[in-house]
Amino acid sequence: MTYTLTTPLYYVNDKPHLGSAYTTLACDALARFQRLKGEEVVLITGCDEHGQKIQRTAEAAGLSPQAHCDRISAQYHQLWQQWQISNDRFIRTSDPRHRRIVHEFFGRVEANGDVVEGRQQGWYCVACEEFKDDPAGALDPQCLVHQRSLEWRDEVNLFFRLSRYQEQIEALIAQPEFIQPASRRREVQNFVAQGLRDFSISRVNLPWGIPVPGHDGHTFYVWFDALLGYLTALLEGQGDGETSEAGLGELSQRGWPAQVHVIGKDILRFHAVYWPAMLLSAGLELPKQVFGHGFLTREGQKMGKSIGNVLDPEALLERCGADAVRWYLLRDIPFGDDGDFQQQRFVDLVNNDLANTVGNMLNRTSAMARRWFEGTVPPAGAAQNADHPLAQAANAAIGLVIPSLETLDFRGAAEASLQLAIAANGFLNIQAPWSLMKKEGNQDQVAADLYAVLEAARLVALLLGPLVPDLSARMLEQLAQAPLNSGPNQTNGTPWLQQLQWGQLAVGSPLPEPAPVMARLELDGPL
Ligand code: MSP
């Protein structure tokens, strides 16, 4: 079975921000974990390029919409490469192949009797690309998300008959697994309980969109086309320049349905209600899960251009490195809750957890082993046995990390991995090999103790692989172990789950010159 997961397809109205990086980093960690387990993974990301918002942004920049989209989507593409995101697909909704899939999909929905003409009247937020039911402010209705005026719309559109799917959607969202975290389910259930209304899926007078076949002058509403990007991504050719004529009928061989759509909480309704109904109408399988994560603020404030406090993911990467940012975001914020980016806390956590706890555990132990045991992994003695206290700590950590990652609890996985490093440091402090070594006859004990800590370090490195892949690779290098291969074209070495068994570090294998695996973060001034 293929494990398909998706990030949202990001609007190209502006360059990437930390919110988009956050979802993408989390999806990357999940994709790496699944690949390490041996799953065939398809991680989909990409850009959502149609609609009024983008058309207006392009006009303001004096560019054609296509030229504007080319420019911004290239920035996304490049940013994910810089961050070493392991996406298997990068879909752009202005790609001609996407148009073909949208037309095929629409044909199915129309043939199913789910498209009707209707009059759409209401207040529209162009920034949200969404009609607002109960806008605040009677004279000048405002969008509560964007704090700006809504626009009145009154036009004849095509509607999707969402109302026909009331019962099926109710049954779907009642399944505990479908909307995660559970705390978000209630909000969607309340919305559905009010009665689903048909929603408009076309626009007139909006040239920057995919034309609706058979309905001159109509282009598809951006959300109708954007969601279908997930399908196009699976159906497109898989090599550079390779074209594919695959259609919707082949989706099940190409990795559909998705195991999880990871999104921000603001677009939950589209993914958990509209999207499944569209898929039901087209006779396609439903995604297994929609996970709505929380929003990031910065030092307690909403990030926004007007406040001037937006964190630029490119600058962040350059100044702090991928491991530090990944660790902070995934370790500090329960995935699903809102989170606040605080610079001091960021620096403290990275330095305490990674540089001190994890880094020093490995560094000081391998330095002692090299000095006293001819630069090699010391004889293990009884430390290779499963009843060693660190073997037990390792098993406890593994037993927590795997189910945590399986359920997107990145914080749980990070904490459990860290606990193993804390246990290893604690063990080292109690055993104090530096004192033992001063007295005759303790060599075997010291060897076994150092072995146990080095072995714990190997397991910490393996457990950290999905969350902080570069740090994991540097740790494994210090232990003369092969790096994990969790990227898109993973090769088959010893399976990760097998490597996660205690006692595999080979006695007598050479240890490289110790080098710090994690530099301390020293930031001069605000990010
Ligand atoms: N184009 C649509 C998605 C279509 S999916 C078929 C879209 N794009 S977006 O670029 O505006 O938003 C992408 C994601 O970024 C959303 O999941 C949104 O929740 C998330 N975030 C935007 N700001 C954010 C924060 N400040 N914090 C965390 N996530 C944030 O919506």
Side-chain angles (χ1 to χ4, degrees):
M1 194 194 62
T2 307
Y3 190 102
T4 298
L5 73 162
T6 68
T7 75
L9 306 182
Y10 300 108
Y11 281 133
V12 290
N13 60 310
D14 207 348
K15 61 180 192 177
H17 55 77
L18 192 67
S20 9
Y22 180 50
T23 328
T24 311
L25 294 176
C27 285
D28 181 68
L30 180 58
R32 288 178 187 275
F33 166 66
Q34 293 293 344
R35 291 192 195 100
L36 287 172
K37 276 195 339 179
E39 300 292 342
E40 195 178 305
V41 170
V42 185
L43 169 55
I44 297 173
T45 189
C47 288
D48 179 358
E49 305 192 352
H50 288 126
Q52 188 139 39
K53 170 160 65 172
I54 299 196
Q55 183 174 302
R56 286 188 186 169
T57 314
E59 276 161 13
L63 291 169
S64 72
Q66 189 66 61
H68 167 79
C69 292
D70 290 349
R71 192 167 81 174
I72 306 278
S73 69
Q75 289 180 12
Y76 271 98
H77 194 262
Q78 195 191 342
L79 183 71
W80 302 150
Q81 284 190 331
Q82 287 167 344
W83 278 96
Q84 296 182 338
I85 298 300
S86 64
N87 57 297
D88 302 87
R89 302 280 193 281
F90 186 94
I91 170 71
R92 296 183 54 192
T93 59
S94 69
D95 189 317
R97 284 175 299 193
H98 180 57
R99 175 180 295 212
R100 194 170 54 72
I101 297 300
V102 173
H103 283 180
E104 187 186 346
F105 188 94
F106 177 72
R108 286 190 179 205
V109 173
E110 198 171 34
N112 200 24
D114 280 333
V115 178
V116 286
E117 239 182 40
R119 186 163 171 200
Q120 173 74 63
Q121 281 184 313
W123 292 103
Y124 194 71
C125 173
V126 176
C128 293
E129 292 282 15
E130 192 179 7
F131 280 98
K132 300 289 171 181
D133 289 340
D134 301 305
L139 290 177
D140 178 19
Q142 300 280 315
C143 167
L144 295 177
V145 181
H146 293 96
Q147 260 109 44
R148 58 193 244 184
S149 297
L150 298 170
E151 298 178 22
W152 178 252
R153 293 289 158 79
D154 182 356
E155 55 184 49
V156 172
N157 290 159
L158 299 173
F159 279 69
F160 173 73
R161 293 175 71 187
L162 181 65
S163 52
R164 285 175 96 188
Y165 294 91
Q166 179 79 30
E167 280 172 24
Q168 280 156 288
I169 296 298
E170 275 173 9
L172 175 70
I173 62 179
Q175 293 173 17
E177 288 299 305
F178 185 65
I179 298 176
Q180 285 292 323
S183 54
R184 303 229 177 275
R185 193 179 317 131
R186 172 67 46 206
E187 153 199 342
V188 180
Q189 280 175 328
N190 289 343
F191 169 72
V192 174
Q194 290 165 19
L196 291 175
R197 285 186 286 157
D198 299 346
F199 72 98
S200 68
I201 57 166
S202 77
R203 298 287 181 265
V204 287
N205 306 320
L206 178 62
W208 185 237
I210 296 182
V212 181
H215 299 269
D216 280 353
H218 289 256
T219 50
F220 282 106
Y221 168 44
V222 58
W223 266 103
F224 187 85
D225 126 39
L227 289 160
L228 293 170
Y230 297 139
L231 306 183
T232 306
L234 289 172
L235 294 171
E236 67 181 9
Q238 283 168 30
D240 274 348
E242 193 187 323
T243 54
S244 161
E245 288 306 314
L248 297 174
E250 276 137 279
L251 272 172
S252 55
Q253 295 101 273
R254 300 292 196 101
W256 190 258
Q259 291 301 309
V260 59
H261 293 303
V262 182
I263 53 166
K265 61 181 182 178
D266 55 328
I267 54 175
L268 192 53
R269 195 184 288 183
F270 288 103
H271 284 79
V273 180
Y274 295 9
W275 178 225
M278 286 163 59
L279 288 164
L280 286 168
S281 172
L284 293 168
E285 284 193 72
L286 303 184
K288 300 280 181 232
Q289 187 171 90
V290 177
F291 195 108
H293 67 67
F295 260 52
L296 296 179
T297 48
R298 180 174 183 187
E299 312 290 349
Q301 269 192 314
K302 188 178 168 180
M303 278 183 272
K305 264 194 190 166
S306 48
I307 312 175
N309 65 346
V310 176
L311 264 174
D312 174 1
E314 200 176 352
L316 199 59
L317 177 68
E318 222 163 77
R319 282 182 70 181
C320 309
D323 289 323
V325 182
R326 287 173 77 110
W327 181 254
Y328 175 58
L329 293 177
L330 298 175
R331 180 247 197 271
D332 201 34
I333 305 162
F335 200 58
D337 291 3
D338 291 336
D340 190 34
F341 189 101
Q342 294 170 2
Q343 183 163 328
Q344 193 55 51
R345 186 162 169 78
F346 168 45
V347 171
D348 290 348
L349 277 183
V350 168
N351 288 345
N352 288 339
D353 297 347
L354 301 185
N356 295 350
T357 303
V358 173
N360 286 345
M361 160 191 64
L362 176 55
N363 213 246
R364 60 179 176 155
T365 314
S366 87
M368 288 184 275
R370 276 174 58 92
R371 192 170 332 127
W372 300 326
F373 298 94
E374 292 157 8
T376 61
V377 174
Q384 234 162 353
N385 297 344
D387 61 357
H388 190 276
L390 284 186
Q392 290 177 2
N395 281 339
I398 295 163
L400 287 170
V401 169
I402 291 175
S404 299
L405 289 173
E406 209 72 75
T407 52
L408 284 73
D409 175 8
F410 302 109
R411 186 165 84 148
E415 278 176 351
S417 311
L418 195 63
Q419 279 309 320
L420 177 55
I422 291 171
N425 277 324
F427 175 79
L428 203 59
N429 291 342
I430 289 172
Q431 298 300 102
W434 45 87
S435 307
L436 277 182
M437 204 55 192
K438 287 183 190 145
K439 295 173 217 139
E440 284 288 301
N442 286 331
Q443 179 126 354
D444 289 353
Q445 183 65 48
V446 169
D449 292 346
L450 294 182
Y451 179 90
V453 177
L454 290 172
E455 175 61 355
R458 182 184 73 88
L459 292 171
V460 171
L462 294 176
L463 291 176
L464 290 179
L467 299 178
V468 277
D470 291 350
L471 171 60
S472 159
R474 288 193 299 275
M475 291 177 75
L476 290 170
E477 195 185 337
Q478 284 283 296
L479 293 162
Q481 302 287 303
L484 290 172
N485 193 345
S486 58
N489 302 309
Q490 81 266 42
T491 46
N492 297 325
T494 311
W496 184 66
L497 291 171
Q498 274 178 35
Q499 291 184 54
L500 280 175
Q501 280 159 20
W502 181 262
Q504 292 180 41
L505 192 63
V507 170
S509 60
L511 289 169
E513 181 78 37
V517 286
M518 189 73 199
R520 290 180 65 80
L521 263 186
E522 312 281 355
L523 295 176
D524 44 0
L527 283 163

